[in-house]
Amino acid sequence: MSENINTNDNKESVNFIQKIINDDIKNRKYDARVQTRFPPEPNGYLHIGHAKSICLNYSLAMKNNGKFNLRFDDTNPVKEDESYVKSIVDDIKWLCPKWDGHALYASDYFDKMYECAVELIKKGLAYVDDLTAEEMREYRGTLTEPGKNSPYRNRSIEENLELFENMRLDKYKNGEKILRAKIDMSSPNINMRDPAIYRIMHEYHHNTKDKWCIYPMYDFAHPIEDAYEGVTHSVCTLEFEDHRPFYDWVLAHLDEFKDEPTQQIEFAKLYLSKTMMGKRYLKRMVEEGYVDGWDDPRMPTVAGIRRRGYTVEALYRFLDDIGVSKSQSQVDISMLENAVREDLKEKSPRTMAVLDPIKVIITNYPEDQVEYLEAQNNPENETMGKRQIPFSREIYIERGDFMEEPPKKYFRLYPGNEVRLRHAYFIKCEDFKKDENGNVTEVYCTYDPETKSGSGFKGRKVKSTMHWVDANNCIDATVRLYDYMMENEDYDKTNFLEKLNPNSKVVLENCKLEKNINEHKVGDRFQFLRHGYFIIDRDSTDNHFVFNQIVSLKSSYK
Ligand code: ATP
Ligand code: MG
């Protein structure tokens, strides 16, 4: 399946990043080599926004016969949690089928980063500062006012080397000293006002353990990680645009990297309507029990959409539809759902499923007879073949497909009316039975043997075709229907928990499905006629199926 991802699209419009790459290849920059990466912090599950970045980086590498790396950005020892590493690796495997499976860690380059810091000190481009964090803030200035130089800015190279060495040798407390780049305290870009590059942190690191008590700052570490790995195009989101001058500055001043520094290219983040995205908000939904875990099918996590039944091909189709740009905007979630429908249309066999069953007895059908009717598995894709569906005297139809007293324009089953059963016969409603509460329990019909599906019967027309399941040859299943977690757009980061849709998950326990579902396994997808697309969930057991709704048939269908 995943081999078929269309990363080699022949679309005429090439995104702006590919244009930059085309020029670089033409000019033989980086020896015409392309290498990209995705650098997550292992502090949560990935969401569909991350997927945009991953698929973009991966596709750019694949389209240009290049290389794509997953590199964990684990430079901050207090923020990481190893349990997230596994989920991220699983997600990347799913999204990037040709990825080499080898995860890299920024912390493996700590020695290199230390050397780079020493090189900058030796060049007079970095100094150890004794200002407190608060003093540093005061000295930094504001957007409208320049900063001022620290009194420690003019320490000699020797003194700085010694102090930095002492930082590493655990001679100071947290915050007592910090290593800063020496650039320009009056730069209009605050990121260039002598940014911190190494800080003292007495923290255990999951990878390097107790080896370090100083850790590099993200903005200093990142360009070194990229360049050291051989990344050519470091693609990231727009909030890093103001950090690019420092990214470039770091590489421009390191001998090993200055000749062909990695270039940073920014694009706009993906935002989806009706979707709360940031990791920390998703974490609250999980930890406070609003959803059934990170891979709850309602979650916009990669694990969630995978369990929901979205295909990776559909995701690439969606990303292709929305493109890559420099301007921030929100994408309507219906575009994603449409891509899923388009993808599943030809891939998923049709089947009949009655989600809210009511029994129909066909009074003129022989009692012990079962006949098998032929049905096409997918009218959009003949290669999916045909199946035989059992039919007998008792069947189930949807409760909503029968009415005792129909309103105008109701063409389904009601006393005296005739309808077509898909793949079977015409049936006419003769009578029905109710229980003591007034609920209809059984509907009695007669069938017309002349009207068998495929027989070419042209005698009369009916206005409705209904799905059904043979009551004597079917299976019971649980079906979960899903709606958006955020129904409207009237929420923000502070109140989203109060605005969650209370009906985002509806569990139907008594659904009736065609018996041949028995031949299928977890992960198989179907179109339930008239209901939408569904996937067999991993909660299924040997004798009971659980299905998740992937997407309805039409955007308006509820
Ligand atoms: P969040 O804001 O959801 O917590 P993050 O940006 O903190 O996400 P990281 O692990 O730091 O998550 O980011 C990894 C990469 O994913 C970064 O390069 C970031 O630019 C990218 N990314 C994060 N959110 C989106 C998004 N909505 N669309 C595209 N790329 C994104
Ligand atoms: Mg973050």
Side-chain angles (χ1 to χ4, degrees):
M1 161 194 92
S2 355
E3 290 298 307
N4 300 328
I5 292 174
N6 182 14
T7 49
N8 267 314
D9 63 338
N10 297 317
K11 273 198 171 175
E12 278 170 37
S13 64
V14 166
N15 72 50
F16 76 95
I17 303 178
Q18 181 62 52
K19 283 190 185 137
I20 296 174
I21 292 180
N22 287 347
D23 283 344
D24 290 347
I25 292 176
K26 205 164 78 197
N27 299 324
R28 300 213 50 84
K29 194 173 172 185
Y30 309 114
D31 286 335
R33 206 170 51 78
V34 174
Q35 185 170 326
T36 60
R37 89 286 174 266
F38 178 69
E41 259 183 285
N43 61 354
Y45 274 56
L46 299 178
H47 53 61
I48 186 165
H50 297 119
K52 170 161 186 169
S53 178
I54 295 163
C55 298
L56 173 62
N57 277 293
Y58 175 72
S59 306
L60 287 169
M62 293 303 114
K63 273 184 213 166
N64 298 288
N65 298 314
K67 188 170 186 321
F68 163 83
N69 286 346
L70 165 64
R71 181 211 312 140
F72 286 105
D73 212 312
D74 58 351
T75 51
N76 183 351
V78 289
K79 278 173 68 185
E80 287 121 28
D81 181 336
E82 244 181 305
S83 68
Y84 295 126
V85 167
K86 186 183 174 302
S87 75
I88 293 175
V89 167
D90 287 348
D91 290 346
I92 303 284
K93 281 185 183 156
W94 186 63
L95 294 169
C96 312
K98 292 184 186 157
W99 174 55
D100 64 13
H102 182 60
L104 305 173
Y105 292 84
S107 57
D108 284 339
Y109 317 148
F110 279 162
D111 285 316
K112 185 76 207 169
M113 293 169 196
Y114 183 81
E115 271 172 39
C116 291
V118 169
E119 181 180 341
L120 291 181
I121 296 174
K122 286 185 177 160
K123 288 178 169 162
L125 294 171
Y127 63 98
V128 174
D129 201 346
D130 294 2
L131 290 183
T132 62
E134 199 178 319
E135 286 166 334
M136 268 181 74
R137 247 190 314 278
E138 279 164 28
Y139 276 70
R140 190 178 298 129
T142 63
L143 285 174
T144 49
E145 277 169 47
K148 52 183 190 193
N149 288 348
S150 160
Y152 305 98
R153 197 174 196 261
N154 288 323
R155 280 175 163 153
S156 69
I157 290 175
E158 290 69 32
E159 189 184 358
N160 280 318
L161 284 174
E162 190 185 329
L163 292 172
F164 186 49
E165 170 85 349
N166 286 339
M167 279 170 67
R168 181 175 71 81
L169 293 175
D170 198 4
K171 299 214 171 151
Y172 311 113
K173 293 198 285 290
N174 284 355
E176 209 177 317
K177 298 217 175 332
I178 197 157
L179 184 70
R180 300 177 71 176
K182 194 170 182 177
I183 309 179
D184 178 5
M185 286 306 292
S186 59
S187 169
N189 183 341
I190 292 189
N191 296 305
M192 295 298 271
R193 294 184 189 168
D194 292 9
I197 60 181
Y198 253 98
R199 62 185 153 166
I200 301 171
M201 268 178 114
H202 290 91
E203 293 287 346
Y204 178 86
H205 189 281
H206 73 98
N207 183 18
T208 56
K209 315 241 172 336
D210 289 320
K211 177 171 174 186
W212 299 93
C213 63
I214 56 171
Y215 290 95
M217 303 297 289
Y218 179 88
D219 278 353
F220 173 66
H222 204 77
I224 297 173
E225 294 159 24
D226 283 341
Y228 191 51
E229 266 173 26
V231 170
T232 55
H233 301 83
S234 178
V235 178
C236 63
T237 40
L238 282 177
E239 74 272 22
F240 293 104
E241 201 165 23
D242 288 345
H243 299 242
R244 178 161 24 101
F246 183 57
Y247 184 104
D248 291 343
W249 184 93
V250 170
L251 296 184
H253 293 94
L254 294 169
D255 292 344
E256 187 178 341
F257 306 128
K258 66 180 195 311
D259 293 336
E260 246 180 9
T262 310
Q263 58 184 313
Q264 176 180 306
I265 304 167
E266 308 87 13
F267 70 97
K269 275 193 171 178
L270 166 67
Y271 291 101
L272 269 183
S273 65
K274 298 181 191 284
T275 308
M276 195 72 204
M277 199 105 84
K279 251 184 286 197
R280 90 188 72 153
Y281 311 109
L282 299 178
K283 198 170 185 165
R284 284 197 64 189
M285 291 193 208
V286 174
E287 284 174 358
E288 296 177 33
Y290 290 95
V291 290
D292 311 321
W294 283 100
D295 70 346
D296 185 304
R298 291 166 291 180
M299 290 281 270
T301 52
V302 175
I305 63 176
R306 187 162 67 230
R307 184 158 178 209
R308 176 76 176 259
Y310 286 17
T311 57
V312 70
E313 293 84 355
L315 191 62
Y316 273 91
R317 183 190 279 263
F318 164 68
L319 293 172
D320 219 40
D321 289 345
I322 61 173
V324 182
S325 96
K326 276 256 181 204
S327 57
Q328 209 65 76
S329 67
Q330 192 183 66
V331 174
D332 198 304
I333 191 156
S334 63
M335 286 189 71
L336 173 60
E337 294 168 342
N338 277 334
V340 174
R341 285 184 197 103
E342 279 302 306
D343 184 60
L344 293 181
K345 201 164 63 182
E346 284 187 23
K347 284 182 186 168
S348 319
R350 296 345 184 212
T351 187
M352 296 195 286
V354 176
L355 305 187
D356 183 11
I358 179 173
K359 193 174 264 184
V360 171
I361 297 168
I362 301 163
T363 52
N364 61 338
Y365 195 87
E367 266 199 39
D368 295 321
Q369 183 171 313
V370 181
E371 69 179 297
Y372 284 84
L373 304 162
E374 189 167 81
Q376 237 184 343
N377 284 328
N378 189 340
E380 314 244 1
N381 178 356
E382 295 215 348
T383 65
M384 297 191 83
K386 295 180 172 165
R387 70 186 184 288
Q388 304 292 321
I389 310 175
F391 181 80
S392 68
R393 193 166 186 265
E394 297 182 349
I395 62 169
Y396 290 112
I397 62 165
E398 297 290 347
R399 186 162 289 276
D401 282 347
F402 172 80
M403 282 188 101
E404 183 181 347
E405 286 166 22
K408 266 205 176 116
K409 302 218 167 142
Y410 184 88
F411 301 120
R412 287 169 276 166
L413 214 52
Y414 56 87
N417 194 38
E418 189 174 45
V419 300
R420 181 202 317 269
L421 294 177
R422 169 72 67 203
H423 306 306
Y425 296 96
F426 287 14
I427 56 168
K428 186 173 174 190
C429 177
E430 309 286 355
D431 201 0
F432 59 92
K433 192 163 99 186
K434 284 192 200 173
D435 63 15
E436 61 277 15
N437 302 319
N439 295 321
V440 176
T441 53
E442 280 177 355
V443 177
Y444 303 102
C445 294
T446 49
Y447 88 117
D448 178 354
E450 298 289 304
T451 58
K452 185 169 175 172
S453 170
S455 67
F457 175 77
K458 291 226 163 41
R460 58 190 182 274
K461 288 205 166 107
V462 287
K463 284 197 168 147
S464 177
T465 301
M466 294 174 8
H467 66 278
W468 54 278
V469 167
D470 181 4
N472 296 310
N473 298 283
C474 66
I475 58 168
D476 289 331
T478 299
V479 173
R480 300 167 177 154
L481 302 179
Y482 294 113
D483 198 353
Y484 306 113
M485 299 256 337
M486 313 308 309
E487 239 171 336
N488 306 306
E489 299 291 340
D490 63 344
Y491 62 88
D492 60 31
K493 293 166 182 178
T494 62
N495 70 354
F496 72 101
L497 288 173
E498 294 146 41
K499 302 280 183 172
L500 293 178
N501 174 5
N503 303 314
S504 57
K505 174 178 165 186
V506 173
V507 182
L508 304 173
E509 290 293 359
N510 190 29
C511 306
K512 307 289 180 186
L513 269 63
E514 283 184 38
K515 204 172 176 180
N516 46 39
I517 292 286
N518 268 332
E519 291 152 30
H520 292 273
K521 58 179 194 311
V522 172
D524 285 353
R525 300 175 179 85
F526 300 86
Q527 187 195 104
F528 290 179
L529 285 185
R530 293 167 72 209
H531 287 302
Y533 294 93
F534 292 78
I535 185 169
I536 303 178
D537 187 70
R538 62 147 197 262
D539 285 344
S540 301
T541 61
D542 282 349
N543 42 31
H544 188 77
F545 281 100
V546 179
F547 281 82
N548 296 333
Q549 180 185 34
I550 305 171
V551 68
S552 57
L553 281 182
K554 292 191 215 100
S555 345
S556 55
Y557 187 95
K558 274 283 159 64

